[in-house]
Amino acid sequence: MVHLSHISKQFGDLRVLKDISFHAPRGKTTVVIGPSGSGKSTLLRCINLLETPDAGEVRIANTAVSFDDQNAKSPFHRRLNRRREILTLRQHTGMVFQGFHLFPHKTILENVMEGPVQVLKQHPDTVRDMALSLLEKVELIDKKDCYPATLSGGQQQRAAIARALGMEPDVLLFDEPTSALDPELEREVLKVIRALVKENNTMIIVTHNLLFAKEIGDLVVFVDGGQIAATGTPVEIFGGHTTKRAGEFIAAMLPPMEYAI
Ligand SMILES: Nc1ncnc2c1ncn2[C@@H]1O[C@H](COP(=O)(O)OP(=O)(O)OP(=O)(O)O)[C@@H](O)[C@H]1O
Ligand SMILES: [Mg+2]
């Protein structure tokens, strides 16, 4: 479903992603873990092209965008085509950020309706029905006419998930969806994500919550120093059956009882 081939990204002199290739399968949950600053957010942002890779190719479903020719002399029409490709590819994705990023001046219902009406040009009446059923799903129907600032962090994050789902993306991307929340609010967001896992959505989730990663991941990707340092099932990764570095990271992050070699 999502294929990255030889993606590299540099900020100034800092090589943040070094020739990353990976595949997130359709209908599965791929969890990305790794130390702070290892490049996880940048990797996720390269998937929906919020960051432009310096090299490599991003493919989602049937849309591929290559960055290998961008240093060549680029005629105007090629740049225009790339812009179209980027927008098409981005429409395949829905992103949920650590900081929610809801529109503050719109109600929760309007937040969910905005993308389908403005971007996908769907009819507001149809979109309203769909948005209301999504708000039922994330247990926020009673908050539909409230503004984001009046909601708790957990409620805002559930609204952000409903908004992402409203675009009917092929893949849902989550960047640390619960790290701004205290444990009780985290639980209610994890419950919603768990339900999405059960529905076999295609998801890529960056998280520091290794217990959750272990529970819901079909595939775990360990990123270290801008490279994929290990990939495997939760049993392989959390059982210490991949690389020494992945084992060290997990041992340092998980309570001892959870780390079984
Ligand atoms: N726009 C930017 N400009 C310059 N440097 C950046 C930019 N974005 C990220 N970086 C740097 O790239 C490196 C990787 O950042 P990234 O946010 O991808 O890490 P991360 O693995 O998501 O970390 P964390 O777990 O703390 O969220 C860091 O050293 C960061 O400072
Ligand atoms: Mg990050």
Side-chain angles (χ1 to χ4, degrees):
M1 162 62 78
V2 177
H3 286 271
L4 297 189
S5 313
H6 303 290
I7 291 291
S8 295
K9 178 70 184 174
Q10 196 158 333
F11 291 113
D13 289 340
L14 186 66
R15 290 179 67 205
V16 178
L17 299 179
K18 301 167 189 165
D19 195 22
I20 284 207
S21 295
F22 101 122
H23 169 59
R26 183 186 298 275
K28 304 281 183 193
T29 300
T30 302
V31 184
V32 180
I33 61 171
S36 186
S38 57
K40 304 180 298 296
S41 295
T42 308
L43 172 66
L44 210 61
R45 292 165 64 82
C46 280
I47 294 174
N48 65 0
L49 303 179
L50 283 177
E51 294 292 354
T52 308
D54 297 327
E57 186 189 79
V58 180
R59 181 151 58 86
I60 302 178
N62 295 323
T63 308
V65 186
S66 170
F67 295 89
D68 287 331
D69 60 349
Q70 65 185 349
N71 293 326
K73 226 180 198 171
S74 173
F76 176 72
H77 72 268
R78 194 189 297 156
R79 290 206 305 272
L80 196 66
N81 275 345
R82 183 189 301 284
R83 177 102 201 109
R84 283 203 200 104
E85 284 168 4
I86 288 174
L87 291 177
T88 309
L89 188 131
R90 197 170 290 155
Q91 282 189 11
H92 287 296
T93 70
M95 178 101 165
V96 176
F97 302 88
Q98 179 182 341
F100 326 135
H101 293 201
L102 295 167
F103 301 115
H105 57 288
K106 290 187 184 293
T107 66
I108 295 304
L109 180 61
E110 288 165 351
N111 262 279
V112 180
M113 291 180 63
E114 176 79 6
V117 172
Q118 298 301 332
V119 180
L120 303 180
K121 309 289 179 207
Q122 294 173 358
H123 194 281
D125 291 346
T126 329
V127 172
R128 180 181 303 274
D129 290 345
M130 183 265 301
L132 289 172
S133 72
L134 284 174
L135 289 176
E136 292 269 14
K137 183 173 178 157
V138 300
E139 297 178 16
L140 273 186
I141 198 69
D142 54 329
K143 299 287 183 188
K144 68 180 170 55
D145 297 320
C146 298
Y147 287 89
T150 67
L151 268 58
S152 73
Q155 290 167 338
Q156 289 188 55
Q157 193 58 303
R158 286 185 280 138
I161 293 173
R163 187 179 59 174
L165 289 170
M167 297 296 281
E168 298 188 51
D170 291 311
V171 56
L172 277 166
L173 309 173
F174 293 83
D175 193 359
E176 309 235 17
T178 62
S179 54
L181 305 174
D182 65 37
E184 201 175 329
L185 301 183
E186 175 174 30
R187 258 197 303 279
E188 65 190 36
V189 173
L190 295 184
K191 184 178 160 200
V192 168
I193 297 177
R194 245 182 227 114
L196 296 174
V197 171
K198 287 219 175 74
E199 288 173 1
N200 297 326
N201 288 284
T202 307
M203 306 204 278
I204 303 175
I205 305 180
V206 173
T207 183
H208 277 131
N209 184 336
L210 295 196
L211 290 179
F212 188 61
K214 190 176 167 191
E215 176 199 328
I216 59 154
D218 293 300
L219 186 71
V220 182
V221 174
F222 172 60
V223 177
D224 190 33
Q227 289 174 309
I228 293 183
T231 309
T233 63
V235 170
E236 289 165 343
I237 295 277
F238 292 99
H241 302 305
T242 54
T243 61
K244 187 163 171 278
R245 179 70 188 105
E248 286 166 0
F249 172 74
I250 288 160
M253 295 281 290
L254 272 184
M257 293 290 286
E258 297 292 337
Y259 184 59
I261 293 188

